[in-house]
Amino acid sequence: MCPFRSAEPGATAFQGNAAYQRSILATVPDAMIVIDDHGMILSFSAAAERMFGYAERDVAGRNVNMLMPQPDRQAHDGYMARYLETGVARIIGVGRVTTATRSDGSNFPIELAIGDAITDEGRMFTGFVRDLSERQQSERRLADLQAELAHISRVSAMGSLASALAHELNQPLTAIANYLEGARDLLGNSDAASLAMIREALDEAAAQSLRAGQIVRRLRDFIARGDSEKRVESLRQLVTEASALALTGSGPAAADLEVRLSADCDRVLVDRIQIQQVLLNLIRNAVEAMHRSPRRRIVIRSLSDGHGMVTVIVADSGPGLAPDAQDHLFEPFHTSKDQGMGLGLSICRTIVEAHGGRIWAEPADIGGAAFHFTLTIAADD
């Protein structure tokens, strides 16, 4: 059945043309599934048959939750009943990246968009499903190449940085050692002249210590404020691509990822690769934090602050942040992971601050941690 109704003359004849409808269902590239207000499958396109491994005759009249993993399968009917009762949409008209289940029981990431319509036969819902697996495989190959290049770049950069630090810090550290050795040699003398010289040597050592600290801060600021190629990008596209890549390799217990982005602050001025790296780190951290949670849910949303900035929030339903970790989250080499290096969040902070924003963490309203970061909204042309 077609879920759309037209007021144009001949609409009934058009809707009644079953052969024409079948040709549409056979050629539409994304899987299209139509259900009634009880969640029962009314039509199942050819793309849906290929994607899920079911023939239409096998699923017709069955609840659409058969295509979902737990816990979504169990919760779906409740979600639908709440929408029909309240009219408050969490997915309909919004879209999200989530997980579906094939006929063989395997799970795979999808991008889901749902619309509803009132027809002569009653209320119907049409879902368009895009399999993100193939795109993820291509992105994974590209990401592997980028990761290898980034590794080489990091090794080269760390070598250059180590050389620069050694060169810059050698002079003040040598001076500190000389001043302290001189002061030590004078400690055996208690006359006023010796005490004055000791005091002067310690003052000079302290001054050289401050200089060494300034060198380190200057190099850190240079790295943090490095130039990047900023362009006007769609925040929704950045989030969708990063989310799909983050779900790659997450296994059968993939998180249910819901995207709720504000349409009035979609255009942002960013370096696309860098901001996707921030999103990728935060989403993967969220997935890892929830590996023992019975309910794995991630919500990504955005809101404008009214002053030219948009806040992006990545929240999870995991156990939350340990109190003693809050003050050191973004420090390099600080990690709670057994095999982590503690650089992910530090890199996120460096990237966000280089974009003129800030990043911080708070408890999430869905039970875990919520990481917030701000970006500049692109000015209208």
Side-chain angles (χ1 to χ4, degrees):
M1 297 183 181
C2 180
F4 305 104
R5 180 173 59 188
S6 171
E8 296 296 327
T12 302
F14 176 80
Q15 292 178 353
N17 192 332
Y20 193 84
Q21 293 179 42
R22 284 195 298 271
S23 72
I24 294 175
L25 292 176
T27 55
V28 64
D30 293 334
M32 189 172 83
I33 305 169
V34 181
I35 64 174
D36 63 18
D37 56 2
H38 297 291
M40 302 304 166
I41 297 174
L42 302 177
S43 67
F44 202 69
S45 72
E49 291 181 327
R50 292 190 297 271
M51 183 180 298
F52 288 92
Y54 291 106
E56 184 175 24
R57 63 179 177 274
D58 297 327
V59 299
R62 298 178 63 182
N63 196 307
V64 72
N65 65 13
M66 67 180 290
L67 306 176
M68 305 173 187
Q70 294 290 6
D72 288 336
R73 180 176 301 178
Q74 183 177 0
H76 175 263
D77 291 348
Y79 292 156
M80 177 170 283
R82 182 166 61 245
Y83 171 70
L84 293 173
E85 179 181 352
T86 65
V88 177
R90 293 181 57 196
I91 305 174
I92 296 172
V94 179
R96 66 171 176 172
V97 175
T98 184
T99 307
T101 302
R102 296 188 180 93
S103 60
D104 62 4
S106 62
N107 295 334
F108 63 105
I110 62 170
E111 183 177 358
L112 174 65
I114 302 176
D116 68 334
I118 304 297
T119 73
D120 294 335
E121 291 81 10
R123 193 166 201 162
M124 296 183 185
F125 299 86
T126 304
F128 292 91
V129 184
R130 178 169 298 174
D131 185 351
L132 297 177
S133 300
E134 293 183 0
R135 186 171 77 182
Q136 284 184 355
Q137 291 171 3
S138 298
E139 289 177 343
R140 189 186 307 175
R141 288 192 294 270
L142 178 60
D144 289 343
L145 177 59
Q146 290 175 336
E148 183 64 25
L149 293 174
H151 174 69
I152 296 172
S153 177
R154 283 195 300 271
V155 170
S156 176
M158 290 181 67
S160 299
L161 179 60
S163 177
L165 277 172
H167 176 75
E168 293 285 342
L169 292 177
N170 183 62
Q171 183 177 350
L173 292 177
T174 300
I176 292 171
N178 290 336
Y179 284 127
L180 292 179
E181 286 176 359
R184 181 195 59 196
D185 294 339
L186 292 170
L187 286 176
N189 301 325
S190 59
D191 57 277
S194 296
L195 291 176
M197 292 177 66
I198 292 172
R199 186 178 294 107
E200 181 180 357
L202 294 177
D203 289 342
E204 291 294 337
Q208 292 298 319
S209 297
L210 293 175
R211 182 187 172 194
Q214 290 171 351
I215 290 171
V216 173
R217 283 192 295 273
R218 187 172 72 244
L219 287 173
R220 185 187 63 188
D221 291 344
F222 173 76
I223 295 170
R225 296 170 186 171
D227 293 335
S228 58
E229 297 182 7
K230 296 185 180 69
R231 296 187 177 90
V232 177
E233 303 282 353
S234 165
L235 183 58
R236 178 172 293 277
Q237 183 175 354
L238 295 177
V239 169
T240 299
E241 292 177 356
S243 301
L245 191 58
L247 288 177
T248 299
S250 55
D256 178 11
L257 196 151
E258 181 179 347
V259 179
R260 301 202 306 262
L261 301 178
S262 176
D264 60 357
C265 50
D266 180 62
R267 310 298 287 176
V268 289
L269 185 63
V270 297
D271 182 300
R272 180 176 65 87
I273 297 299
Q274 291 185 0
I275 295 305
Q276 284 189 331
Q277 185 64 45
V278 172
L279 289 164
L280 191 64
N281 282 340
L282 296 181
I283 295 169
R284 283 182 171 169
N285 283 351
V287 171
E288 292 174 6
M290 296 185 295
H291 72 283
R292 294 182 180 176
S293 300
R295 173 63 167 152
R296 300 176 179 87
R297 182 183 174 204
I298 300 175
V299 177
I300 303 178
R301 57 191 179 94
S302 67
L303 52 94
S304 171
D305 69 352
H307 301 286
M309 302 292 285
V310 57
T311 301
V312 182
I313 304 167
V314 180
D316 65 70
S317 59
L321 298 170
D324 57 345
Q326 192 80 25
D327 297 333
H328 307 284
L329 277 175
F330 302 99
E331 294 179 4
F333 307 110
H334 179 85
T335 180
S336 59
K337 302 176 184 178
D338 294 337
Q339 299 179 348
M341 290 186 62
L343 292 175
L345 290 177
S346 175
I347 292 172
C348 289
R349 182 179 67 175
T350 297
I351 292 174
V352 170
E353 290 180 352
H355 280 72
R358 64 189 186 96
I359 184 170
W360 70 99
E362 297 177 357
D365 56 8
I366 58 174
F371 283 83
H372 302 61
F373 66 93
T374 58
L375 299 172
T376 302
I377 299 174
D380 295 332
D381 294 334

